[in-house]
Structure formats: structure tokens, C-alpha cells
Amino acid sequence: MSGRSAQLVLPISVNPGATWGHWVSRKVTGEVESFARALLDQGGAGFFLWASEGQGKSHFLQACCAAKPGARYLPMESLLDYPPEAVLEHAEKETMVVVDDIHLIDEHRSWQEALFHCFNRCEESGTPFLASATQSPAGMTSVLADLQSRLSLLTTFKLPAWELDDFERLLCHLAHDRGLLLNDDVARYLTLRIQRRPQDAVTVITAIDESTLVEKRSPTIPFLKLLDL
């Protein structure tokens, strides 16, 4: 995926595991998954994805980028101190423009104006424009009204919170990728003790993996209790 303009080398990093292969599909996310895949195959205006922090927005957008070579991925958390005109230069010529955490521009007027113009250029060139935030376009009342209006034109989806069974599947999926086996009791034990957010699941499975390697033990409930889990 593309992450820089012709003039700037930008501090953009992506998670190599943020692909469709590592995305845990749920019944409640089927609609946005189908929409995204159709967009990647056939093109379209784009979409707006929102959810609370840690629910998988960045993974979803990065998975779209990984499946579409030449996409320009723009994680706003890393870019706010850079000149937006330079960062967004010729962005509409890429295969997609993907703005992650667009809500972070709420106190940055220059970024709001630049993204408004970028959106218009993408619309004119037929380049998909994808964005994520912690609120829907209707809730972004602190940005320029013209930009909010443009974002409201995009098909909007919300990533819902994780239900118990789905989060257990996520934990088992992450563990399997690391060669760990979580039985049903262990998965339920963890689900009841950590926040149901993918980023928390990754953190705890990483810690378990490292500890089992050091101690040469299986991830049983007694062992997890020794880790203060």
C-alpha cells in the first residue's frame, strides 16, 4: 500500500497481520465485509466505518489496502504534524484513498480543508475514498460543514461490540496463529476477564505466548492465574 507523497517520507507503519486472512468474520459484520469486497472488485465511491476505540477499524481498512495494491493509507494519528497539501498530493491518482481515524482532524482546520478538496478530487476521478472514525459522519459536528456533508455521502457502517462467543473465537484464532491451543474453558475464562476489544485480545495472547515459551507450560487456567490474568 502507498503511504507517502512524492515529496515526503511519512512515518506510516502498518500491521502485517491486518489482512482478510486474519480478520475474524461475524454475522453482524457480514454486510460491511460484502460491501468492501465488492468495492475492491468493482470500484465505487467508498465507505465510512465507525466504532469505538479498539474494535478493529484499522485492521479492516488495512486489510482493504492489502487487497488493493497502490492504495494510499493515511493514519491520521501519525500525520497531523505534516503539511496536508503535500501528504495528499496526487492522492486521487492512487487506487484508493484510505483515511484512518479521520475524527482526529477536529482541531486541525488545514487538514479539514485539504481532505475536503481531496474528497472532491477523488469523486471526480472515480477513486474510492474510505474513512474510519469513532463516530458517524453525523456526529462529526466540529469539522467543516462542507467536509461533514461530503463524508455523509459515503455508505456508513458501524462495527458493533463483540459478543461473548465471537470474542472467544477471536481469542482462539489469535492463539492458533501462534501455535497455542486454548480449550473452551480457557477461552471463556479470558473473555470474562479482559475488555472485548481485538487490541486487548492481541495483547493478552502475545503475553501468554511469551510466558508459555519461557515456562514451557500450556495455557491452562491455573497458569493464567499466575500471570494475573
Side-chain angles (χ1 to χ4, degrees):
M1 64 189 75
S2 174
R4 65 178 185 174
S5 75
Q7 285 72 36
L8 295 178
V9 177
L10 300 171
I12 294 175
S13 61
V14 296
N15 176 8
T19 64
W20 289 128
H22 289 93
W23 176 260
V24 176
S25 181
R26 297 174 277 163
K27 184 176 181 180
V28 291
T29 59
E31 185 178 9
V32 65
E33 291 164 12
S34 296
F35 189 93
R37 293 181 188 278
L39 177 75
L40 294 171
D41 290 340
Q42 304 164 21
F47 61 86
F48 191 103
L49 185 67
W50 70 284
S52 58
E53 288 291 351
Q55 292 296 331
K57 302 184 302 298
S58 295
H59 185 138
F60 195 93
L61 292 188
Q62 289 183 31
C64 290
C65 290
K68 193 73 170 180
R72 185 171 297 192
Y73 177 64
L74 302 168
M76 293 312 306
E77 183 178 21
S78 301
L79 299 177
L80 291 175
D81 292 333
Y82 287 78
E85 294 80 7
V87 175
L88 298 172
E89 184 179 13
H90 304 310
E92 71 280 1
K93 296 181 181 180
E94 307 283 11
T95 58
M96 291 192 308
V97 174
V98 182
V99 187
D100 202 358
D101 287 329
I102 197 171
H103 60 278
L104 296 178
I105 66 171
D106 61 353
E107 296 181 359
H108 298 264
R109 179 66 177 256
S110 61
W111 269 102
Q112 295 173 34
E113 293 176 349
L115 283 169
F116 167 73
H117 293 301
C118 180
F119 187 103
N120 289 338
R121 295 196 304 271
C122 287
E123 189 174 43
E124 291 174 2
S125 63
T127 304
F129 188 101
L130 282 58
S132 77
T134 55
Q135 54 199 326
S136 69
M140 296 184 63
T141 55
S142 60
V143 303
L144 288 171
D146 285 342
L147 175 60
Q148 183 189 28
S149 176
R150 292 295 188 274
L151 296 175
S152 296
L153 296 175
L154 298 172
T155 302
T156 300
F157 299 94
K158 181 182 181 182
L159 285 180
W162 287 75
E163 298 293 338
L164 189 70
D165 290 345
D166 287 331
F167 197 73
E168 288 179 8
R169 286 199 303 113
L170 173 63
L171 286 167
C172 291
H173 179 85
L174 292 170
H176 181 268
D177 283 347
R178 290 176 170 270
L180 294 172
L181 177 63
L182 300 186
N183 63 39
D184 292 343
D185 290 339
V186 170
R188 177 60 56 94
Y189 175 88
L190 289 172
T191 299
L192 295 175
R193 282 161 176 77
I194 65 174
Q195 292 192 61
R196 292 182 203 165
R197 304 188 307 176
Q199 66 181 29
D200 292 272
V202 171
T203 298
V204 75
I205 292 300
T206 300
I208 292 171
D209 182 36
E210 293 173 351
S211 297
T212 55
L213 288 174
V214 171
E215 300 294 335
K216 301 188 185 316
R217 295 181 59 177
S218 299
T220 61
I221 290 177
F223 180 60
L224 298 184
K225 288 180 177 179
L226 292 176
L227 303 178
D228 292 326
L229 293 174

